[in-house]
Amino acid sequence: MRGFTNRLFTFLVVLMILSFLLIGFFLTNIVSEQISKSKEAELKSQAEQLLEIIQQDPDAPGEIVSYDQVSLKQVWIQKDEQTIFKSSDIDEAGIKKVLAPWINTGESKFYRFQENGSKAVLVYRQEDYTVYLVDRLTDLRGLIRTIWQYLTLTLVTAVPIIFFIVRYIYRSYIGPIKEVTYASKLLTEGNYKVRVPESTVTETKDLYISTNRLARTLQKLNNEQKLQRNRLETTLGNIPSAILMVDKQGQVVIVNDTYNDTFNKGLQVLEGHYEDVITFPSINRMIKEAIYSEKPINETIDIMLNVHKKYFDAAVVPVLSRRRRKLEGVVVVLHDITKLKSLEQMRKDFVANVSHELKTPITSIKGFSETLLDGAKNDPDTLDMFLEIILKESNRIQGLVSELLELSKIEQSSHILLGEVNLSQKTESCIEVVNQLASKKNISIETSIAPDVMVMAEASKLKQVIINLLSNAINYSHEGAVIKVNVKDAQDGILEVIDEGMGIAKEEQARIFERFYRVDKARSRDSGGTGLGLAIVKHIIEVFGGTIEVESALGKGSIFRVCLKKC
């Protein structure tokens, strides 16, 4: 049996033993008292009869003798302490010895004597007469012993009955309660499939039914919650906007994949306070304002991610309780509008940039053409010089238009098919292409190329990227400089081009990948650049799914680092 059953059984047995002891104690006292009172009343009645006989006829002891012979009692009658009658077998000395402390008190008394209390004597006094009646008394010890024997037998018989009663209580009540308790514990631990077998006992049947009904209800609610959570996670995972939820203590509780991909390079955001998790002051400021004001905050913000400036339509919405009295947290939604901003800016800048880039060569062509028409064509030397200038400017216009078309195609990225390309070999072949250009400025190229670094790219476009970076390094380096080219085999395939050129100011590093932007406009125009090279490089790398970074300081050269996904 269980521990509770043993404790209950022991308690009931001890309680019954104590009860039987109390019952035996009171029962023996009551029986003994009743026997004594009954015998006292009997002897007192007979003593009164004997005195009545003597008082009516003092000389008539015959009737008393007859009584003494017929009765089993012993009689001793005194008058004025003189014996009138005494049974032959009465023990006068024994009676006086027993009654010595009270014999002269003058009171009527009933006493038991002998060791086992088997005899009783009544001292009855009336006027001058004293009657002593001695009679046998019921054996109280034997009677008490019999009572205790019956009580013990009853107790021994009751113990097995108690055992079966306790067992029945355990099986009918305690056992079911323990089963329900165990099932409730499993429910609190999230095991909603647990069930308890229904009982036939009326008192516990409803408990079993209610527990099973509770388990089914919790299981249903849990399944619905899981379904809702899966729907929420699926929805958040497929929403193109970056979503982040902060509770009322400022702890980040929900972050979708778009946020991780956009702001955390695909890594899962760890839980923590939003000021520790979010490293962008503009977003933290909006969250703080929304928490303090409990009103939605909407702004368009720009954030630098690597070398790119991205624009976001940011909305921070406070989540209030149903009665709108208590703040539960805030939801941050960041919708990337960089492309929209770029398109809008492109519409604004395209005409200005293109017209600016075309204005100089067209003006030159027009000016020299008008000069030739005015008569300069008659001078052969002048004619040849002007025609060479017109050809140069025409080639410049053609290059500009070609690169604009190339950039447009790359932005569409529908015609580029990615495949496995050996970055190490491609870099070495591109270095051979630009060696002649480097030798003109006495520039040496040092290489540290890991063998057979395979990346996902398109061979011709990758070649265009490498040659552009090498050409820029040569064009912007002084004579006799050293250019270092590294290809590393890491988690991604990494290409580094390190020059000793003029360097790029920190405030300009974010803009060098923009269309038509030049750090040194004079040198760029002299080298035939259009200002679209790095813009084309950036777009090609993005189509490959890689990243490009720049590290530079004025007067210390630049490091262009390209990271491409490995096969």
Side-chain angles (χ1 to χ4, degrees):
M1 285 200 220
R2 305 291 192 274
F4 176 81
T5 308
N6 293 334
R7 291 195 301 271
L8 179 61
F9 176 73
T10 304
F11 173 75
L12 292 178
V13 170
V14 171
L15 180 62
M16 180 163 283
I17 291 174
L18 293 176
S19 301
F20 272 63
L21 288 174
L22 291 175
I23 291 172
F25 175 75
F26 286 112
L27 185 61
T28 53
N29 285 333
I30 291 171
V31 169
S32 177
E33 188 69 22
Q34 288 298 323
I35 290 175
S36 298
K37 287 183 178 180
S38 175
K39 178 59 68 176
E40 181 180 0
E42 178 187 350
L43 294 177
K44 187 175 182 180
S45 175
Q46 293 180 1
E48 289 176 350
Q49 292 178 3
L50 290 174
L51 286 177
E52 185 179 355
I53 292 172
I54 292 176
Q55 288 174 352
Q56 291 178 357
D57 188 6
D59 297 325
E63 294 183 19
I64 298 175
V65 173
S66 299
Y67 171 82
D68 180 50
Q69 292 176 350
V70 174
S71 174
L72 296 177
K73 302 176 180 61
Q74 298 174 357
V75 181
W76 182 16
I77 302 174
Q78 288 183 331
K79 182 179 180 182
D80 296 328
E81 296 184 2
Q82 297 295 323
T83 300
I84 299 176
F85 179 83
K86 183 173 70 173
S87 299
S88 59
D89 56 349
I90 195 168
D91 185 4
E92 182 179 349
I95 292 174
K96 287 184 177 182
K97 182 179 179 181
V98 170
L99 301 180
W102 309 281
I103 197 166
N104 295 319
T105 59
E107 298 178 359
S108 297
K109 286 288 184 178
F110 177 81
Y111 304 99
R112 282 182 248 166
F113 66 99
Q114 292 193 355
E115 292 181 359
N116 56 1
S118 59
K119 286 188 178 183
V121 58
L122 173 69
V123 180
Y124 183 78
R125 290 184 173 87
Q126 185 177 359
E127 296 178 355
D128 297 331
Y129 293 94
T130 302
V131 178
Y132 299 91
L133 287 179
V134 180
D135 194 6
R136 286 180 297 177
L137 195 61
T138 303
D139 186 2
L140 291 178
R141 289 189 177 181
L143 179 61
I144 292 172
R145 190 181 304 110
T146 302
I147 290 173
W148 283 113
Q149 288 175 352
Y150 279 110
L151 289 175
T152 304
L153 180 62
T154 304
L155 179 61
V156 172
T157 306
V159 168
I161 297 175
I162 293 174
F163 174 81
F164 287 108
I165 291 175
V166 170
R167 191 170 182 180
Y168 172 77
I169 292 173
Y170 179 83
R171 289 185 175 181
S172 300
Y173 301 99
I174 307 302
I177 291 174
K178 285 194 172 184
E179 289 182 5
V180 171
T181 303
Y182 179 70
S184 301
K185 184 178 179 181
L186 293 178
L187 288 175
T188 59
E189 294 174 354
N191 184 4
Y192 302 119
K193 296 181 180 180
V194 66
R195 299 290 185 274
V196 289
E198 294 187 1
S199 173
T200 56
V201 180
T202 305
E203 288 78 2
T204 57
K205 184 176 182 180
D206 291 340
L207 179 62
Y208 275 59
I209 293 174
S210 299
T211 303
N212 289 334
R213 187 177 299 162
L214 174 63
R216 284 190 289 268
T217 302
L218 290 175
Q219 186 177 15
K220 181 179 178 181
L221 292 175
N222 184 58
N223 292 336
E224 292 178 355
Q225 183 183 14
K226 287 182 178 179
L227 180 61
Q228 293 293 335
R229 184 175 182 85
N230 290 335
R231 288 176 179 172
L232 177 61
E233 289 179 351
T234 303
T235 303
L236 290 176
N238 290 278
I239 289 177
S241 301
I243 297 177
L244 180 141
M245 181 174 286
V246 179
D247 64 14
K248 58 185 177 182
Q249 281 80 30
Q251 299 295 316
V252 177
V253 293
I254 294 178
V255 177
N256 72 343
D257 293 338
T258 305
Y259 183 92
N260 292 328
D261 295 338
T262 305
F263 299 101
N264 206 34
K265 296 183 180 180
L267 300 177
Q268 184 67 34
V269 172
L270 300 177
E271 293 183 356
H273 197 270
Y274 73 89
E275 291 183 344
D276 299 326
V277 173
I278 303 172
T279 58
F280 308 106
S282 55
I283 300 178
N284 288 336
R285 174 183 54 79
M286 293 178 65
I287 293 175
K288 190 175 294 184
E289 289 180 7
I291 292 175
Y292 288 158
S293 65
E294 297 186 359
K295 294 181 180 179
I297 307 295
N298 293 278
E299 291 183 12
T300 299
I301 60 175
D302 58 275
I303 297 175
M304 289 300 302
L305 298 175
N306 295 328
V307 296
H308 309 299
K309 177 182 283 189
K310 291 199 171 186
Y311 295 89
F312 293 91
D313 184 7
V316 181
V317 182
V319 180
L320 303 177
S321 60
R322 290 186 177 182
R323 297 183 179 180
R324 302 183 66 82
R325 294 180 179 177
K326 188 177 180 182
L327 180 69
E328 299 293 338
V330 294
V331 176
V332 182
V333 181
L334 301 170
H335 184 64
D336 190 351
I337 57 171
T338 304
K339 290 184 178 180
L340 295 176
K341 279 283 186 180
S342 299
L343 290 173
E344 182 181 355
Q345 191 65 32
M346 284 174 62
R347 285 194 297 268
K348 293 179 180 178
D349 296 343
F350 183 76
V351 174
N353 288 330
V354 172
S355 61
H356 178 75
E357 294 296 329
L358 293 177
K359 182 178 181 181
T360 301
I362 291 175
T363 302
S364 297
I365 292 172
K366 182 180 179 182
F368 286 117
S369 298
E370 290 175 349
T371 303
L372 289 175
L373 291 174
D374 290 339
K377 63 183 178 180
N378 297 322
D379 185 356
D381 294 335
T382 303
L383 177 62
D384 291 340
M385 182 182 67
F386 282 10
L387 289 176
E388 287 179 0
I389 294 173
I390 291 172
L391 178 60
K392 180 180 177 182
E393 297 299 333
S394 299
N395 290 334
R396 183 177 174 184
I397 293 173
Q398 183 181 9
L400 177 62
V401 173
S402 298
E403 289 194 353
L404 283 173
L405 292 174
E406 180 68 17
L407 184 58
S408 177
K409 290 179 181 179
I410 293 171
E411 287 179 340
Q412 293 176 4
S413 68
S414 59
H415 67 292
I416 299 178
L417 298 177
L418 302 183
E420 189 175 4
V421 179
N422 192 320
L423 178 61
S424 303
Q425 293 180 0
K426 187 62 66 176
T427 303
E428 290 174 350
S429 64
C430 291
I431 292 174
E432 293 177 0
V433 172
V434 300
N435 263 333
Q436 186 176 0
L437 180 62
S439 61
K440 290 181 180 180
K441 298 180 67 174
N442 197 25
I443 293 176
S444 61
I445 301 177
E446 297 180 356
T447 62
S448 175
I449 300 176
D452 298 326
V453 178
M454 308 302 294
V455 296
M456 290 298 296
E458 198 273 331
S460 62
K461 299 300 179 186
L462 180 59
K463 181 178 180 181
Q464 184 178 355
V465 168
I466 298 173
I467 289 178
N468 188 291
L469 293 176
L470 290 173
S471 299
N472 285 345
I474 293 170
N475 290 333
Y476 289 94
S477 295
H478 56 81
E479 290 191 7
V482 176
I483 296 175
K484 297 180 181 179
V485 180
N486 302 325
V487 175
K488 300 178 181 178
D489 188 2
Q491 185 176 357
D492 294 327
I494 300 175
L495 168 66
E496 290 181 341
V497 178
I498 307 171
D499 63 54
E500 297 177 350
M502 55 184 289
I504 306 169
K506 186 174 182 180
E507 61 271 13
E508 292 184 320
Q509 292 178 16
R511 302 195 60 194
I512 60 175
F513 296 99
E514 296 178 5
R515 295 175 178 86
F516 304 111
Y517 186 82
R518 297 181 177 89
V519 177
D520 187 342
K521 296 177 174 56
R523 179 176 295 188
S524 179
R525 293 185 190 276
D526 292 341
S527 63
T530 61
L532 295 173
L534 286 179
I536 293 174
V537 167
K538 186 194 77 167
H539 283 81
I540 291 175
I541 296 301
E542 287 180 347
V543 170
F544 290 169
T547 59
I548 181 169
E549 301 174 353
V550 60
E551 296 178 10
S552 183
L554 286 174
K556 296 183 180 180
S558 304
I559 301 174
F560 284 85
R561 184 178 296 107
V562 176
C563 299
L564 297 174
K565 294 180 180 178
K566 294 174 65 177
C567 299

